[in-house]
Amino acid sequence: MEDMIQVDRAMSTQQGTKISAKGVQVYYGDNHAIKDVNVEIDDKTVTAFIGPSGCGKSTFLRCLNRMNDTIDVARVAGDILIDGEDIYDPKVDPVQLRAKVGMVFQKPNPFPKSIYDNVAYGPKIHGLARNKAELDAIVESSLRKAALWNEAKDRLDAPGTGLSGGQQQRLCIARAIATAPEVLLMDEPCSALDPIATAQVEELIDELRQSFSVVIVTHSMQQAARVSQKTAFFHLGNLVEYDDTDKIFTNPQDSRTESYISGRIG
Amino acid sequence: MSNLLIIAIILGLGVAGFVLGRQRALVSAGGDKRNLHSLPIYYGANVALSAILPATGLLAIWLIVQPMAINSAVSDLISDDSISETGTRDLVMADVRRVAEGLDRAVQTGAMGADTSFALDAGTDDVRDTLASLGVALGSDVTPETLAAGQRYRELLGTGNLLKTLAVIATGLLGLCVTYLRTHKDFRARNTVENGVLLLLIGAASIAVLTTVGIVLSLVFNTIEFFRLYQASDFFFGTNWSPSFSGRGQTSELGILPLLWGTLYISFVALVVAVPLGLFAAIYLSEYASKGVRSVAKPLLELLAGIPTIVYGLFALLTVGPLLVEAFGDGGLFGVSWMAGGTAVMTAGLVMGIMLIPFVSSLSDDIINAVPQAMRDGSYGLGATKSETVRQVILPAALPGIVGAVLLAASRAIGETMIVVLGAGAAARLSLNPFDAMTTVTAKIVSQLTGDSDFASPEALVAFALGITLFVITLGLNVFALYIVRKYREQYD
């Protein structure tokens, strides 16, 4: 296991910055949830956000595709650039942005539709397919990338809610990658899954790194160590430390990081 | 002894039992309530309940059974000859009861001694005149047979009432004593009271259910009576509704089809108005409106449900009808003359639709809110707009529930009366033109039973057949709606 991680690390090549956040502040009403976060997220890399509950890691993740816009009391300040473009610029349409920055949630949330329609939902509303054949192709390739094709190909018309928890979460991942996003945000994608389904999803995340920049929020430090190349540690709304994953876990610079990963706080 | 007094005595026993039971428990615990199994009030309540509940139960059963028993005992005394003279056994029995009551009243007011009242002879004393002077009117002279039956009735009633009083009070005392003696610091009064509470709740629930059964039964018996006088096939398949109140059945045509058609047509128009408006209002309120708007708009919308239907009827008659005539009547805005008068299917349907909006909107709103937030997040996360999310994710997820809401609104529309009476006219006809006056089943039930109606004629009894037809239709719709709503609930809970 340890060897595999080392090999993975060696393979991870720095491909330039995908997302760049500068001085990000988030307020929920009077509550200052994110305090002056600066972070550069690399392309084609898995970046993990770790930290105790309520530290703001999910909040910051939801800033990256402007999901916080759907919450009335949330207010975001500072700059978040994706490919050098400010996503909070008034010119940017949050609806288009979310097609480019896909999201997978904590609990599998397939729509009450067939497996096919679940995956085809995004391509349909964004008009990505010119005809049925292209749509079929998108659905198939998305399900293949999500490692669900073999299990689902014979039951594409069956309701997505009838799958097992792990399959549902992979369906949600397929649904997210069907819109051809550039970044994939995952908010504790394995917390509702059993260990076997978790292993499958983690394997999948590693493969997705070939095509996307993946940002994953996780409660499990082991998971962060297994799947990510870079790790950011959040505490009380501050970004405490952000570095290569092996460095964070073997040689943390900040005493709070060290306390957290050794289990003394959090 | 009057029933009210008996109840008061039982309640008095209950209060006494409460005080005694509480005291006995405390004494057995040496005055320290920490030694008791239950709180002191439970011991009191336990004794009080066992004094009150069995006694009142007995009283209720007695009140139901006694009149039936006396009636059947007395009616045996009446020969078939006297029945054929006056008509039915019921009429004779009514006279018997009135004679008995009249004599009792005479004794009470002192106009007659108790002995003389029992020694009356129908041949020599003019019972009818004597009673008339006391304010009891009798339809015919009192025959010896009626008088004898009346006297027997009085005797039985007197004995019955005495027995009732004794039995009920004895039951109360017995309950009190038995439970009082059982009261001890280790007695589990708390658990026993729990059972008493359960009994009370079951009683309340079964009264509601039994009432429904009673309503259905009263409809069924009268309907059977109606079908004895009128062909069932003519009723269900007749296309003509023209009751005649002068003749006795022969000249009346009582076909339900025109009424059913009017009912369904008006309900259809109402739903066409109410479903889109109510649904869109619900979507706005649950998905788009801010908290402030929602907290004001939702109660305002639900206020519509609190307006009495007669007010809606007036609105239809005075405002909507004339407006529609101005638009669709002769020389109206649209240059067509489809509408002759203000009362029409359209008038009643539109107003009924407005009445139903809060039904549809408030039920749909609850159902849309029950769709998990995760569905919305998933859709927004894929870059869908609000309306795309509503159309493609939320409505399909909420659809079964919304269908249930619509069906409930439909059964409400079918049963609506006042708006139809004032807004749709009274003419029963089969027509496709929504600007024609039509009428519904409910409106006709009202018109068949108001005024002087002879409850033995098919013209009056038809109301019960109409009622039970309507009941079956709305019951079916309700059951279907509940089935759908329940099936939907299982999806997310």
Side-chain angles (χ1 to χ4, degrees):
Chain A
M1 191 71 191
E2 197 62 25
D3 288 348
M4 243 174 68
I5 293 171
Q6 294 306 327
V7 174
D8 274 359
R9 300 269 158 68
M11 273 167 55
S12 77
T13 46
Q14 302 290 311
Q15 303 216 353
T17 304
K18 184 73 184 172
I19 304 171
S20 156
K22 289 182 193 119
V24 175
Q25 320 272 351
V26 180
Y27 304 86
Y28 283 129
D30 294 333
N31 181 17
H32 196 175
I34 297 280
K35 295 160 193 156
D36 196 29
V37 167
N38 297 289
V39 73
E40 308 260 309
I41 292 168
D42 295 331
D43 200 9
K44 308 265 193 284
T45 306
V46 178
T47 306
F49 290 174
I50 60 169
S53 294
C55 68
K57 54 194 191 303
S58 286
T59 302
F60 183 67
L61 189 79
R62 291 168 69 96
C63 290
L64 300 181
N65 68 346
R66 293 184 61 174
M67 274 301 273
N68 283 330
D69 291 16
T70 59
I71 299 166
D72 289 337
V73 293
R75 197 158 52 78
V76 179
D79 295 322
I80 298 177
L81 310 173
I82 294 184
D83 291 333
E85 254 184 282
D86 184 0
I87 62 168
Y88 279 89
D89 191 282
K91 279 187 306 204
V92 172
D93 176 9
V95 168
Q96 285 301 320
L97 172 75
R98 287 182 204 136
K100 213 169 98 175
V101 184
M103 187 154 191
V104 176
F105 296 85
Q106 186 169 359
K107 229 180 116 197
N109 57 348
F111 302 135
K113 298 167 177 284
S114 71
I115 294 175
Y116 182 95
D117 285 337
N118 261 287
V119 182
Y121 182 79
K124 266 188 192 160
I125 57 176
H126 295 294
L128 299 182
R130 272 171 301 185
N131 50 42
K132 180 82 168 70
E134 276 191 25
L135 192 61
D136 288 348
I138 292 177
V139 169
E140 180 177 343
S141 75
S142 306
L143 283 171
R144 275 188 196 284
K145 276 187 210 152
L148 193 60
W149 176 251
N150 287 334
E151 290 151 78
K153 66 181 173 199
D154 297 325
R155 45 194 286 206
L156 290 175
D157 292 330
T161 43
L163 295 170
S164 74
Q167 288 172 328
Q168 284 189 12
Q169 193 62 301
R170 278 180 280 148
L171 178 63
C172 292
I173 294 172
R175 188 174 73 184
I177 58 190
T179 56
E182 295 165 22
V183 179
L184 200 53
L185 308 177
M186 298 183 151
D187 191 355
E188 299 181 35
C190 301
S191 63
L193 304 183
D194 65 51
I196 293 169
T198 301
Q200 285 169 327
V201 171
E202 283 179 5
E203 200 179 321
L204 177 60
I205 290 169
D206 203 54
E207 280 165 28
L208 292 175
R209 182 158 63 91
Q210 315 294 327
S211 332
F212 315 104
S213 164
V214 179
V215 184
I216 176 170
V217 164
T218 176
H219 259 125
S220 150
M221 283 173 280
Q222 289 84 347
Q223 185 172 55
R226 284 194 298 264
V227 300
S228 69
Q229 287 77 51
K230 301 272 262 185
T231 296
F233 172 61
F234 285 81
H235 189 241
L236 300 175
N238 297 301
L239 176 61
V240 175
E241 195 167 348
Y242 174 55
D243 213 326
D244 288 341
T245 298
D246 47 1
K247 214 167 156 200
I248 291 268
F249 281 96
T250 53
N251 186 21
Q253 301 300 303
D254 195 288
S255 60
R256 284 170 292 178
T257 317
E258 196 192 350
S259 307
Y260 182 69
I261 59 174
S262 58
R264 278 201 294 274
I265 60 166
Chain B
M1 205 182 281
S2 80
N3 292 326
L4 200 67
L5 192 57
I6 297 177
I7 291 174
I9 289 175
I10 293 173
L11 287 181
L13 280 179
V15 172
F18 184 88
V19 176
L20 288 173
R22 190 174 180 280
Q23 224 156 35
R24 186 177 161 94
L26 272 175
V27 168
S28 76
D32 186 350
K33 71 176 182 181
R34 285 174 303 177
N35 293 335
L36 290 170
H37 169 269
S38 315
L39 288 174
I41 61 158
Y42 281 114
Y43 292 96
N46 183 32
V47 178
L49 281 178
S50 47
I52 293 171
L53 282 186
T56 42
L58 182 70
L59 182 63
I61 294 171
W62 201 292
L63 286 177
I64 295 170
V65 172
Q66 177 177 298
M68 291 199 284
I70 292 183
N71 245 0
S72 71
V74 173
S75 70
D76 286 344
L77 293 176
I78 296 169
S79 63
D80 290 343
D81 296 344
S82 53
I83 290 170
S84 58
E85 273 169 41
T86 36
T88 65
R89 186 173 287 266
D90 283 349
L91 283 176
V92 181
M93 281 307 296
D95 263 0
V96 169
R97 271 196 299 274
R98 226 171 297 165
V99 168
E101 278 161 23
L103 290 175
D104 276 343
R105 194 183 303 175
V107 174
Q108 239 168 43
T109 52
M112 211 183 273
D115 296 336
T116 42
S117 79
F118 277 106
L120 281 174
D121 183 347
T124 52
D125 302 309
D126 194 343
V127 181
R128 190 179 179 189
D129 276 357
T130 320
L131 291 182
S133 69
L134 290 164
V136 180
L138 290 175
S140 56
D141 276 333
V142 179
T143 61
E145 206 176 67
T146 315
L147 187 62
Q151 299 289 22
R152 177 85 185 125
Y153 187 90
R154 286 178 65 200
E155 275 170 39
L156 285 175
L157 195 68
T159 345
N161 279 346
L162 186 65
L163 276 179
K164 175 183 73 182
T165 310
L166 290 178
V168 169
I169 291 177
T171 314
L173 275 172
L174 191 72
L176 188 144
C177 291
V178 168
T179 331
Y180 176 75
L181 291 176
R182 281 174 69 193
T183 301
H184 181 260
K185 74 179 171 59
D186 292 328
F187 180 67
R188 299 183 181 178
R190 202 178 172 193
N191 311 35
T192 324
V193 169
E194 197 63 30
N195 288 336
V197 170
L198 178 69
L199 272 180
L200 269 179
L201 298 181
I202 289 177
S206 36
I207 283 177
V209 174
L210 287 177
T211 312
T212 316
V213 173
I215 291 173
V216 173
L217 284 182
S218 74
L219 281 177
V220 165
F221 286 127
N222 285 303
T223 306
I224 292 172
E225 189 64 29
F226 169 69
F227 285 133
R228 211 171 280 154
L229 298 169
Y230 195 86
Q231 275 275 302
S233 59
D234 288 350
F235 172 71
F236 284 116
F237 303 109
T239 56
N240 216 343
W241 175 268
S242 54
S244 135
F245 286 100
S246 54
R248 276 217 134 201
Q250 293 87 347
T251 51
S252 283
E253 283 188 85
L254 302 170
I256 195 178
L257 285 182
L259 306 183
L260 217 49
W261 170 247
T263 302
L264 296 179
Y265 204 171
I266 292 173
S267 304
F268 173 75
V269 173
L271 288 180
V272 165
V273 173
V275 170
L277 286 179
L279 196 54
F280 291 167
I283 291 172
Y284 171 72
L285 285 179
S286 59
E287 296 295 314
Y288 289 85
S290 67
K291 261 205 184 109
V293 174
R294 189 182 150 87
S295 67
V296 176
K298 202 174 180 210
L300 276 182
L301 193 60
E302 280 166 2
L303 208 63
L304 277 180
I307 298 177
T309 54
I310 185 74
V311 175
Y312 279 111
L314 291 175
F315 177 59
L317 187 69
L318 300 176
T319 313
V320 178
L323 270 178
L324 284 174
V325 171
E326 243 170 68
F328 297 100
D330 206 5
L333 290 172
F334 291 93
V336 291
S337 61
W338 292 338
M339 201 166 172
T343 52
V345 167
M346 211 58 177
T347 314
L350 281 178
V351 174
M352 206 190 280
I354 294 167
M355 179 193 82
L356 292 178
I357 288 174
F359 263 82
V360 177
S361 76
S362 124
L363 279 171
S364 306
D365 182 58
D366 291 346
I367 290 155
I368 289 173
N369 273 328
V371 174
Q373 181 63 28
M375 293 289 140
R376 295 181 185 88
D377 283 347
S379 180
Y380 296 147
L382 288 170
T385 62
K386 260 190 172 162
S387 77
E388 282 165 349
T389 304
V390 166
R391 214 170 51 236
Q392 303 200 26
V393 176
I394 293 176
L395 284 187
L399 192 65
I402 291 170
V403 171
V406 170
L407 288 176
L408 284 178
S411 68
R412 180 76 207 264
I414 288 171
E416 176 50 42
T417 313
M418 265 353 277
I419 296 176
V420 179
V421 169
L422 292 177
R429 69 170 71 138
L430 279 165
S431 157
L432 276 176
N433 182 1
F435 297 100
D436 268 348
M438 282 185 210
T439 193
T440 65
V441 176
T442 51
K444 275 301 153 196
I445 293 178
V446 173
S447 68
Q448 290 310 100
L449 291 185
T450 40
D452 278 341
S453 45
D454 169 8
F455 271 84
S457 73
E459 285 77 16
L461 285 172
V462 70
F464 297 99
L466 290 175
I468 203 160
T469 313
L470 206 59
F471 178 78
V472 168
I473 293 175
T474 50
L475 184 74
L477 270 179
N478 273 330
V479 169
F480 189 53
L482 284 178
Y483 166 76
I484 285 183
V485 169
R486 194 167 305 159
K487 205 173 157 196
Y488 160 78
R489 288 229 172 98
E490 287 167 358
Q491 267 188 357
Y492 294 116
D493 286 358

